[in-house]
């Protein structure tokens, strides 16, 4: 019986230590959870996976929504301070991105990969499409979200990128966008 208590006590101590090593969930994250999930992993594929994005990218997007450089009915009306934005960005950047449930079409993946190579996507998004600094990780991002963002860049509904993605998206057909969505989501 004593041995059982020792195992339980050491397990409890380990759990407390592990919990202490996890970053604290910012109070403002509760508002994010409705769309993005408490850990940055949204349930609905129309919302972006923000878990594992770079802290800088998340911060800049929050700032762009607040300052009107990027628009979204919900995000544009979210009130927070710069400190809140930094805290949320830091928290979500440390979360682990989920395993993608979307099953990409292999033929569209091949075509999407070719289009990504042709348009030199890895110059900004890096190899593996992991992103860097203010450039988002798009590998494993939700398909619906990728399609919407590429379409928005093409139609100039999203313009908070200094024109880089707009110029790339202008070269894409609707089929190219679909193929890129399959390729990127499948990474």
């Amino acid at each position: 019986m004593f041995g059982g208590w020792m195992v339980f006590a050491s397990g409890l101590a380990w759990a407390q230590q592990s919990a202490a090593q996890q970053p604290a969930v910012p109070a403002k994250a509760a508002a994010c959870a409705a769309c993005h999930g408490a850990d940055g992993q949204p349930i609905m594929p129309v919302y972006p996976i923000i878990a594992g994005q770079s802290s800088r990218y998340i911060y800049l997007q929050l700032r762009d929504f607040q300052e009107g450089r990027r628009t979204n009915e919900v995000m544009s009306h979210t009130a927070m301070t710069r400190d809140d934005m930094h805290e949320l960005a830091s928290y979500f950047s440390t979360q682990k991105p989920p395993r993608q449930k979307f099953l990409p079409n292999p033929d569209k993946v091949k075509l999407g990969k070719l289009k990504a190579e042709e348009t030199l996507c890895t110059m900004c998004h890096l190899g593996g499409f992991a992103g860097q600094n203010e450039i988002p990780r798009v590998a494993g991002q939700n398909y619906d979200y990728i399609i919407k963002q590429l379409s928005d860049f093409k139609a100039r509904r999203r313009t908070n990128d200094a024109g880089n993605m707009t110029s790339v998206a202008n070269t894409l057909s609707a089929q190219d966008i679909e193929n890129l969505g399959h390729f990127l989501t499948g990474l």
Side-chain angles (χ1 to χ4, degrees), residues 68-146:
R69 284 187 291 275
R70 186 170 177 192
T71 58
N72 173 279
E73 193 173 308
V74 174
M75 293 299 298
S76 297
H77 299 289
T78 304
M80 62 181 81
T81 66
R82 297 284 169 108
D83 288 341
D84 291 338
M85 291 180 210
H86 281 294
E87 185 178 12
L88 286 168
S90 178
Y91 170 73
F92 285 114
S93 71
T94 63
Q95 303 306 301
K96 184 177 167 123
R99 211 175 143 82
Q100 190 53 256
K101 295 173 186 160
F102 180 84
L103 297 174
N105 176 303
D107 295 329
K108 292 179 182 186
V109 167
K110 287 177 192 169
L111 293 170
K113 183 175 192 265
L114 289 171
K115 183 53 76 171
E117 290 169 355
E118 176 188 320
T119 55
L120 306 174
C121 296
T122 57
M123 283 184 64
C124 296
H125 293 279
L126 297 182
F129 296 85
Q132 60 175 326
N133 299 317
E134 62 273 353
I135 308 296
R137 174 189 43 77
V138 291
Q141 185 56 267
N142 284 330
Y143 174 82
D144 293 347
Y145 183 75
I146 290 171

Side-chain angles (χ1 to χ4, degrees), residues 57 61 64-65 69-71 134 136 145 148-161 163 165-166:
Y57 177 74
Q61 297 312 300
D64 283 358
F65 280 122
R69 284 187 291 275
R70 186 170 177 192
T71 58
E134 62 273 353
Y145 183 75
K148 179 167 183 352
Q149 296 313 300
L150 288 174
S151 298
D152 283 354
F153 279 120
K154 183 175 179 70
R156 299 181 193 274
R157 288 185 296 264
R158 181 171 175 190
T159 58
N160 70 321
D161 69 325
M165 281 302 303
T166 301

